[in-house]
Every structure is written in C-alpha cells, then in structure tokens.
C-alpha cells in the first residue's frame, strides 16, 4: 500500500467533467461560438467545441452549490451565485479568469441568489441579483464598490412554484423585469430606490393566463413573455401589454425557455418542443411561426422505462445563427442545427459532448490496465468512459437501478 510519504508533492486537478446541472435554468452562455459556458457539479465549465478542452471556474470553498450564473453583454465578466449561510455572488474577469469581487448581503435571511444579470450599459460596475426565500429581494449593485445602491422586496407570496428570472431592459438600463412562478413585475431604479411600475401585466385580454414562466428581449427592445399554457405575449419596452402572438403554441407546449435572435425568437419547453418565430411587418401578427420541431424526432428513448426528461431548460444561439445549444432537465447538453433564415433545411439534433448520465451516479471504478472508468447510475445505465480521449466508449441499460 502506498503511504503518505509517496504522495508528497503530488497535486490533483480537474481535467474534464462528463455531465451538467440540467435543472438549473438559464444555465447556458457563449463566450464565443466555440466556447460554451454552463455549470456541472460545483463548477462553471467553459467547453471548447474545437479542441474539446474544458476550463473551470471552481466553486468557492464552504458554499453548497451554484444557484445562478450570468455572462455580461460584452462577455468580459461572469457572475457565479452560490448557496451559503448568506447568499453569495462572485464576479470573475473572463480574460484573466481572476475573481474580481464577491458580493454578500449580510442583512438578508436568504441563503441563495436565484437570478443575476449585468447591466447592458455599465457591466463594469452594475448588476442585479434576486434572492430566494424568505426575502425575495431584488438588489441593484455597484458591484465594483461592493455596494447595494437600491433594493426592494418583490412580494412573492409563499414558496415560488417556478423559476424566477430578472433581467435589465437593454434600452433603459435602469428598468428591470422579473417573470416566473406566475409573476410579471416591472421595476424602475431611481437613485437609491427601486420603484414598481407594474406589479402585474395590465390590459391583457382576460382569457390570457398569468402563469408566466420566462421572458426575453427582442432585438427592437420589446419584451417577449411566455406562459405555462404556451401563450407568447409581446409587451412594450416600458412593460405594457401589446398583443398575444397569434401563432402561440397554446396548450401544445408548456414554455420554459425563450431566446431571441436577429430576426425573431425561439421558445422551447416540456416534451422537447421547439417553436421558431420570425418578425413580420403585419401589425396583427408581429411574429409568425417559421418552423417547429421536437426532440422526440431524435431521442429514441434509451432508458427502459422511458423516464428520461426532455424539458428544455436553457438555450443559447451562436452568432452565425445556425446552431442552438440547449440543456435538458435530464442533465443533457445538446445542440440543434437549424436554418433560421427560413430556408427549407432539415433540423438536426445531437449531443454536444456525449450522452451523460441523467440521474445520480451510484458507483465508479477505474481500470488498472487501461485508461478507462466505469460508472453506474440510477438511470439504469452502465457506462465506460475513456479519460485519455475524453470519450464515452460503451453505454448499456439494465432492467433495474445499478449500484
């Protein structure tokens, strides 16, 4: 047996991670078209699709996991929020990979920030965080000074049954929208105060639901707000309701994620459905459905009980607008090759790296003679990984959970 003396001078560092935190929403960003940012375990991973390498922003010692991440508009900074005794947010410089600041709110009872976003105009100093229960507090930070400039409770009644998302208005960096868990709130920052402009979406048709799940900003600065019933509503940049998109996939898709591109936006959600919309000049139909596709066209349910989740939780679109990276709640990182210019080109789904375990790993062993690792999981699969080539060599499903 090797004693402790033989281990002196030996260090261990991460080289590659197979997996992703798929249940964490808005968990996907692009530093460049070939550098994909996401969370895996207690790390933020930057995966290079060209040389297949990974770089890590490791979680802080003493914290209990990553709860939210955000990349600044000019991609100079990344914010990483972690669960701790007091909610914590660390800001890193993406050019040097060095930690710049760590924000904590000592007067809050919340142990986590559930959403974070950088200012679209002044990312070097301003960002917002939204804390979880019991406070549910929106904070406007001068992060370079470690100072809270303004804050307000968003008045969530009891535990939220959905993810809350806070973003800046890209046209007016002192206006903020929060959606999710059935909420739609629009705030305005005035000096040292945050004032509510809208505490709900007013003037919308009575038959439209208020089960808001997510939102994004279109290229012309309008709000695209989505619901659990598949409704897509367009609102002014000032927060007022304009119209519901006629081609909304009502009752056909519980929308969980929405992402804008130059000519429109994409919504996706449960059952792995994607709906791609493009802008029109028709005032009655400002966006029309360009195409739709489903992940079920790709996934041949490999798990014996067909329990693999295919809810799309995050999306990111390349600058060339021919690839959509996305995550699933079953801890998969995937890509959709699609023509967003309206050409009749078939869509193609694929795993970005490999087919990961969709549930917790229950066992692991290392081969002595070869550069192989074997894992088993509650997803009823046994997998053999090559840690030298960073590849999945064999995957076999069993009739029962594996231990």
């Amino acid at each position: 047996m090797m004693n402790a003396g033989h281990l002196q001078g030996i260090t261990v560092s991460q080289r590659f991670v197979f997996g992703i935190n798929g249940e964490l929403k808005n968990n996907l960003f692009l530093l460049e078209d070939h550098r994909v940012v996401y969370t895996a375990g207690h790390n933020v991973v930057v995966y290079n699709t060209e040389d297949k390498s990974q770089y890590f922003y490791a979680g802080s010692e003493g914290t209990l996991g990553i709860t939210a991440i955000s990349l600044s508009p000019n991609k100079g900074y990344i914010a990483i929020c972690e669960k701790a005794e007091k909610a914590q947010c660390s800001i890193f410089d993406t050019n040097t990979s060095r930690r710049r600041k760590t924000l904590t709110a000592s007067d809050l009872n919340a142990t986590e920030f559930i959403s974070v976003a950088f200012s679209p105009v002044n990312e070097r100093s301003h960002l917002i965080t939204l804390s979880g229960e019991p406070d549910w507090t929106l904070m406007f930070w001068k992060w370079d000074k470690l100072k809270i400039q303004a804050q307000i409770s968003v008045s969530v009644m009891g535990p939220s049954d959905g993810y809350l998302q806070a973003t800046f208005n890209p046209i007016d960096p002192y206006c903020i929208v929060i959606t999710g868990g059935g909420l739609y709130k629009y705030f305005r920052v005035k000096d040292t105060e945050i004032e509510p402009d809208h505490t709900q979406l007013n003037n919308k048709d009575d038959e439209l639901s208020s089960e808001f799940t997510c939102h994004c900003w279109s290229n012309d600065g309008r709000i695209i707000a989505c619901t659990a019933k598949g409704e897509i509503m367009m609102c002014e940049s000032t927060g007022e309701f304009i119209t519901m998109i006629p081609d909304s996939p009502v009752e056909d898709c519980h929308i969980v994620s929405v992402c804008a591109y130059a000519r429109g936006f994409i919504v996706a959600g449960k059952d792995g459905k994607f709906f791609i919309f493009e802008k029109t000049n028709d005032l009655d139909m400002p966006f029309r459905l360009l195409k739709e596709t489903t992940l079920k066209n790709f996934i041949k349910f490999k798990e014996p009980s067909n329990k693999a989740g295919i809810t799309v939780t995050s999306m990111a679109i390349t600058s060339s607008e021919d690839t959509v990276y996305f995550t699933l709640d079953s801890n998969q990182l995937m890509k959709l090759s699609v023509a967003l210019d309206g050409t009749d080109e078939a869509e193609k789904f694929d795993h970005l790296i490999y087919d990961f375990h969709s549930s917790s790993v229950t066992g692991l062993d290392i081969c002595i003679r070869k550069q192989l690792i074997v894992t088993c999981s509650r997803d009823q699969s046994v997998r053999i990984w090559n840690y030298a080539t960073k590849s999945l060599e064999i995957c076999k499903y069993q009739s029962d959970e594996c231990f």
Side-chain angles (χ1 to χ4, degrees):
M1 179 179 291
M2 184 178 293
N3 59 42
H6 288 94
L7 297 177
Q8 290 183 358
I10 297 176
T11 60
V12 177
S13 61
Q14 290 184 121
R15 296 297 299 274
F16 204 85
V17 174
F18 293 100
I20 187 171
N21 299 347
E23 292 186 355
L24 187 62
K25 296 181 176 63
N26 279 2
N27 175 33
L28 196 60
F29 297 88
L30 296 178
L31 266 174
E32 300 175 85
D33 282 357
H34 67 283
R35 297 171 69 199
V36 186
V37 181
Y38 57 94
T39 64
H42 201 174
N43 306 275
V44 171
V45 181
V46 181
Y47 176 66
N48 190 313
T49 62
E50 294 180 346
D51 62 16
K52 314 302 181 186
S53 64
Q54 290 181 343
Y55 176 81
F56 304 97
Y57 293 91
S60 304
E61 186 174 349
T63 59
L64 302 177
I66 296 171
T67 58
I69 65 173
S70 185
L71 187 65
S72 65
N74 292 325
K75 305 185 179 182
Y77 303 97
I78 185 169
I80 303 174
C81 299
E82 296 171 273
K83 188 173 184 178
E85 184 176 350
K86 294 291 184 180
Q88 175 176 310
C89 178
S90 299
I91 294 93
F92 291 82
D93 187 312
T94 59
N95 295 308
T96 64
S97 300
R98 297 182 62 180
R99 187 191 304 258
R100 291 289 301 274
K101 300 290 181 181
T102 297
L103 312 177
T104 55
S106 58
D107 59 338
L108 290 185
N109 294 314
T111 59
E112 59 185 341
F113 293 123
I114 58 175
S115 185
V116 59
F118 286 91
S119 167
V121 172
N122 198 356
E123 66 180 41
R124 291 176 175 270
S125 63
H126 290 164
L127 63 73
I128 52 173
T129 58
L130 177 62
S131 71
E133 59 182 342
D135 306 279
W136 306 108
T137 300
L138 174 65
M139 296 179 165
F140 184 90
W141 295 81
K142 286 188 174 180
W143 68 260
D144 59 330
K145 305 295 184 184
L146 298 176
K147 179 182 178 182
I148 301 171
Q149 179 175 322
Q151 66 182 56
I152 189 173
S153 172
V154 300
S155 301
V156 175
M157 302 303 292
S160 172
D161 60 355
Y163 164 77
L164 301 184
Q165 174 191 11
T167 65
F168 279 98
N169 182 330
I171 295 176
D172 184 343
Y174 291 96
C175 292
I176 300 162
V177 170
I178 296 177
T179 60
L183 296 180
Y184 176 96
K185 294 178 180 286
Y186 192 99
F187 298 93
R188 189 176 301 274
V189 180
K190 293 184 178 180
D191 297 322
T192 59
E193 295 184 353
I194 299 177
E195 299 179 355
D197 265 14
H198 309 287
T199 56
Q200 60 184 1
L201 187 55
N202 298 317
N203 302 323
K204 69 178 179 64
D205 299 336
D206 292 339
E207 65 269 18
L208 297 179
S209 78
S210 296
E211 299 176 36
F212 296 101
T213 56
C214 58
H215 71 274
C216 73
W217 297 85
S218 65
N219 272 11
D220 59 2
R222 289 175 171 174
I223 304 167
I224 305 299
C226 306
T227 75
K229 292 188 175 180
E231 299 150 320
I232 304 171
M233 304 180 204
M234 186 173 72
C235 307
E236 292 286 5
S237 62
T238 50
E240 295 86 1
F241 175 79
I242 300 176
T243 187
M244 187 184 92
I245 305 302
D247 283 346
S248 294
V250 179
E251 305 297 342
D252 193 36
C253 180
H254 178 132
I255 300 173
V256 177
S257 183
V258 57
C259 188
Y261 68 98
R263 298 172 59 243
F265 59 87
I266 303 174
V267 298
K270 292 188 176 180
D271 295 325
K273 294 178 179 179
F274 292 78
F275 298 85
I276 301 170
F277 290 81
E278 69 171 359
K279 190 174 182 178
T280 74
N281 294 320
D282 186 346
L283 296 178
D284 295 325
M285 184 180 286
F287 292 91
R288 71 175 184 92
L289 181 63
L290 180 65
K291 59 180 68 178
E292 62 181 277
T293 186
T294 174
L295 195 53
K296 288 185 177 180
N297 293 338
F298 167 77
I299 291 184
K300 312 298 182 184
F301 286 97
K302 299 174 183 177
E303 301 190 27
S305 56
N306 291 353
K307 293 180 180 178
I310 52 172
T311 295
V312 178
T313 54
S314 305
M315 290 188 290
I317 304 175
T318 59
S319 61
S320 55
E321 298 190 340
D322 57 2
T323 303
V324 181
Y325 296 111
F326 63 94
T327 62
L328 301 179
D329 62 343
S330 57
N331 302 317
Q332 303 302 318
L333 176 59
M334 303 191 68
K335 63 180 181 179
L336 166 62
S337 299
V338 60
L340 296 178
D341 58 2
T343 56
D344 191 19
E345 184 176 329
E347 298 81 34
K348 180 182 178 183
F349 290 99
D350 202 356
H351 291 280
L352 181 58
I353 303 178
Y354 289 101
D355 182 9
F356 299 144
H357 281 300
S358 63
S359 189
S360 56
V361 174
T362 55
L364 178 149
D365 201 4
I366 302 175
C367 181
I368 297 176
R369 298 181 180 276
K370 295 184 179 181
Q371 296 170 316
L372 300 175
I373 297 173
V374 62
T375 58
C376 59
S377 168
R378 294 187 185 278
D379 65 11
Q380 301 175 228
S381 73
V382 177
R383 299 168 194 246
I384 297 177
W385 312 86
N386 187 313
Y387 59 82
T389 60
K390 305 180 181 68
S391 59
L392 173 63
E393 301 226 336
I394 298 174
C395 175
K396 295 291 184 181
Y397 282 88
Q398 312 301 314
S399 58
D400 299 305
E401 288 186 5
C402 305
F403 298 93

